[in-house]
Amino acid sequence: MLVLLAYGGGVDDRALPGLPDPGPFTEWMLPVARLGTQVFAVATIGLLLGATVLAPRREGLLSPVGYRQVRAARWLALAWAVSSVALLCLTISDLLGRPVGETVSRTSILTFISSVDLGRALAASALLAVAVFSACTLALRPAGALTALVLALLAVTPAIFTGHAASADNHQLAVSSQLLHVVPVTLWVGGLLALATVARADTEDLARAVARFSTLAAWCLAAVGASGVLSAAVRLPSWGDLLGTWYGQFVLIKVELLAFAGWAGWQHRRATLPRLRAGDRRAFLRVAAVELLVLGAAIGAAVALSRTPAPVGPESEDVATSLLGFSMPPALSIGTLATRWLVDPLLLAAVLALAGTYLAGVRRLTRRGDTWPASRTAAFLVGCAVIAVATCGGIARYAPVLFSVHMVEHLLLAMVAPVLLVLGAPVTLGLRALPAATDPTWPGPREWLLSAVHSRTARLLTQPLVALGVYVVSMYAFYFTDLFELALRSHAAHLLMVAHFLLAGYLFFWVVVGIDPAPRSRPSPFVRMVLVLISMVLHGFLGLAIMQASDLIAGNWFTALPRSWGPTPADDQYVAGGIAWSFGELPTVLVVGAVFRQWIRADKREQRRVDRAADRAEAGGPPDAHDAYNEWLAKVAADERRSPTK
């Protein structure tokens, strides 16, 4: 990091006359603090990953190795929080152009956190790191360690939305690419570090952990490589900038380091893993040490890259580009919706991974001779396609421009796609396709899936009234608060919006028409029908409320957009409400039909069961359970009548 900073001009401690200067301490310590936050983040996440995935379990508790990793992660998380606070103070000094002692105070810190996105991001990372520290302090079971791991991954993300990616043109593409880059590389390096810290553990356990990590590292390598190409393409205006600018040269250095690390990982799978299973751990230690050094150098290069100005392309930014991240699209038409896609790498990768995993499960069932209904496969794949169209198609480009198009996106994500995904029965497929763990101390994906389905959280969320409340009430809160405008202005909030619409819809329709195993018995068909009708009525009221609203919803956003075509914001809002009120009921009618069909099938199955029991009774076979129970009650009553009362 220091070498590249000195070479690329990322640190320049020469004070220019007439310009504010923070001094050499801030110039050099700022990247050092940023490197510290990244190193501590990688170490914290790696040890938590090791405790939850790369270590055995003992009677439902963390193993001794996992327990020690969680306790070490606790102190690393605290160091992460301290580094984040130091980075925040140094950033204030750098932005104001004065030494730390002259600029950092309680007032300046509170102002920076409350009014600047970068300040809010750094403060959020520090607070989440403290939350990781608290979670690690209380964690004794894998669920607690998993909670700490999720919090740690969340703590990595705020800075992504305020760096080079957030300020670039096509910032949706840049930010999503950075998310696909930073999170996998953190898991990759951190997991390798966790393995290196327990290299003296039992050889058999270490071999199992390395085998699991090898699969994870392969997926991380693919994600890091693809996202790195996209990130470079966004920031480098031309091919000549790869060699002609310091930024491009640093990108090439990162590519070379990544390729070398990938080669080392391949060596793990090809040579060192078999030798480790045979009892030779030295080969693993040698390759792991080299890979850690290379990936550490890549992290240092990334920090230097963050302090190096990216090449500047031709100036073409206007108000629309500044707000949207892309130029104002032409007038809406069927042709523009079909051709002007706005691909989000993160969402597209998630959809492809979802569809690919499902097809892999179907293929595994087919290869071993089992059957899987083609209708379920078709429903799930169509659901994935609906998500891709809603988040990456022309709808995604016009949704932040027109409220009415956003409402179409809303209906696709919250009503159409979830129903199709639920009817695909992915949990049932996973339980049938995934092999059971041969060793109970090393649970695999099938055991993790079962634990998630039968967890207390799943039991709470699948309570019918809770599922209905999450699905309906959150929609009113989203549109009649500032959350809608926040989702339009912030890509992070937009991603959360997409995730919430999908998960809330999936949860509700899983309760209503789901065929997967559930943590609680599903309500009767009549109750499910009532739930669907209530949701339909409340969704219709939402559309009417939007149509009759006297004020513009997210008015500051839609009035600021320089759109010269189409309806006025007020007319467009009226159309959006009409779409929610009318067309939003069509998927609900289909769900009502599905519930009614399941009701009829349940009655037919019950009637067939009763008929079979009656046939067995006539043939002298064992009586039906209900009849046997009634006979037992009658016998008890007769005995009570014959016995004297006391």
Side-chain angles (χ1 to χ4, degrees), residues 9-28:
V11 170
D12 188 1
D13 52 10
R14 295 172 300 175
L16 298 178
L19 294 179
D21 178 48
F25 180 82
T26 297
E27 289 282 355
W28 286 100

Side-chain angles (χ1 to χ4, degrees), residues 88-290:
L88 188 148
C89 295
L90 290 166
T91 301
I92 294 175
S93 172
D94 185 57
L95 292 176
L96 297 180
R98 302 299 299 166
V100 175
E102 299 179 11
T103 56
V104 176
S105 64
R106 180 181 177 182
T107 302
S108 63
I109 291 176
L110 292 177
T111 302
F112 185 52
I113 293 174
S114 61
S115 59
V116 181
D117 289 341
L118 179 58
R120 284 190 286 266
L122 294 175
S125 294
L127 291 175
L128 286 170
V130 172
V132 175
F133 170 80
S134 302
C136 290
T137 302
L138 302 174
L140 292 175
R141 296 180 178 274
L146 180 61
T147 301
L149 176 60
V150 172
L151 290 173
L153 289 173
L154 290 175
V156 172
T157 58
I160 299 174
F161 296 97
T162 56
H164 280 157
S167 59
D169 290 345
N170 297 319
H171 56 257
Q172 298 95 334
L173 176 64
V175 169
S176 292
S177 299
Q178 276 293 93
L179 283 172
L180 272 177
H181 191 82
V182 171
V183 174
V185 80
T186 303
L187 291 171
W188 183 8
V189 184
L192 184 61
L193 177 64
L195 292 177
T197 59
V198 296
R200 294 186 179 182
D202 180 78
T203 306
E204 184 179 352
D205 285 346
L206 182 59
R208 288 187 176 184
V210 172
R212 286 189 171 190
F213 174 73
S214 181
T215 302
L216 174 65
W219 284 103
C220 289
L221 173 62
V224 170
S227 60
V229 171
L230 289 174
S231 297
V234 170
R235 294 173 182 82
L236 295 173
S238 65
W239 287 100
D241 292 319
L242 272 175
L243 293 175
T245 63
W246 287 324
Y247 192 93
Q249 293 171 18
F250 291 177
V251 168
L252 291 177
I253 291 174
K254 284 190 63 178
V255 170
E256 293 170 358
L257 293 172
L258 176 64
F260 190 87
W263 173 83
W266 178 72
Q267 283 293 104
H268 268 310
R269 294 182 67 93
R270 186 187 66 85
T272 62
L273 188 55
R275 295 176 63 178
L276 182 61
R277 287 170 176 162
D280 180 12
R281 71 181 74 212
R282 292 184 179 180
F284 164 74
L285 287 175
R286 285 194 298 269
V287 178
V290 172

Side-chain angles (χ1 to χ4, degrees), residues 15 57 216 221 232 285 331 381 385 396 429 440 498 527 539 564 569 581 588 629:
R57 300 179 183 179
L216 174 65
L221 173 62
L285 287 175
L381 294 181
L429 175 63
V498 171
V527 173
H539 203 278
S564 59
W581 174 66
T588 308
Y629 182 66

